[in-house]
Amino acid sequence: TPASIESFIQEKYPQARIMEIESEDGMIEVDIIHGNISKDVYFDLQDQWVYTEWDIRVSSLPALVTKAIANNAAYVGYYIDDAEFIESPQGNYYLLELEKGKSEIKVKVDASGNILN
């Protein structure tokens, strides 16, 4: 592991255990366990942090996030099938996978319930 990646992870995610490191699609993916949560930390090939993601149970999404979908006419009939939390240098958000029949869309929502895409 490049020392810069290891020190970034120890600083941002204290006590995290690095489980696996792989390189794919021009990114370095580091799988960690942090506070009993499995997280994927992504770096570019210059060892710069791009983003971190981990799964969130739909039932534990903040009310503002689920309301943003429920109250938006564009998503009528869709339900939240899957949710991830994304941390990035540009800010944090929830990435929701919505399904309706065979249709599937991804929506980014911040913690205040603002739809970002």
Side-chain angles (χ1 to χ4, degrees), residues 74-82 96-107:
Y75 308 124
V76 169
Y78 281 91
Y79 70 94
I80 302 171
D81 182 50
D82 198 33
L96 308 177
E97 199 173 275
L98 307 184
E99 284 193 3
K100 175 169 77 173
K102 296 206 181 313
S103 174
E104 187 178 285
I105 51 176
K106 289 190 183 271
V107 181

Side-chain angles (χ1 to χ4, degrees), residues 3-117:
S4 55
I5 286 181
E6 273 194 35
S7 61
F8 175 88
I9 287 174
Q10 288 313 315
E11 192 177 310
K12 184 149 184 72
Y13 306 107
Q15 315 297 310
R17 288 198 327 266
I18 294 176
M19 306 307 285
E20 187 181 0
I21 297 172
E22 48 194 7
S23 195
E24 61 176 55
D25 301 330
M27 302 269 272
I28 299 164
E29 180 186 337
V30 183
D31 296 342
I32 65 170
I33 302 289
H34 178 240
N36 292 330
I37 299 171
S38 175
K39 299 181 177 183
D40 298 329
V41 189
Y42 291 88
F43 296 87
D44 64 20
L45 296 179
Q46 287 74 48
D47 299 344
Q48 295 299 304
W49 179 53
V50 181
Y51 67 95
T52 303
E53 69 177 10
W54 64 92
D55 292 331
I56 298 248
R57 281 199 306 277
V58 173
S59 60
S60 53
L61 285 169
L64 287 172
V65 172
T66 51
K67 275 191 190 131
I69 300 302
N71 296 339
N72 190 310
Y75 308 124
V76 169
Y78 281 91
Y79 70 94
I80 302 171
D81 182 50
D82 198 33
E84 293 177 333
F85 189 73
I86 311 288
E87 277 182 335
S88 79
Q90 297 77 34
N92 302 341
Y93 59 89
Y94 295 88
L95 181 61
L96 308 177
E97 199 173 275
L98 307 184
E99 284 193 3
K100 175 169 77 173
K102 296 206 181 313
S103 174
E104 187 178 285
I105 51 176
K106 289 190 183 271
V107 181
K108 298 176 184 176
V109 184
D110 70 15
S112 305
N114 299 305
I115 292 174
L116 306 175
N117 56 330

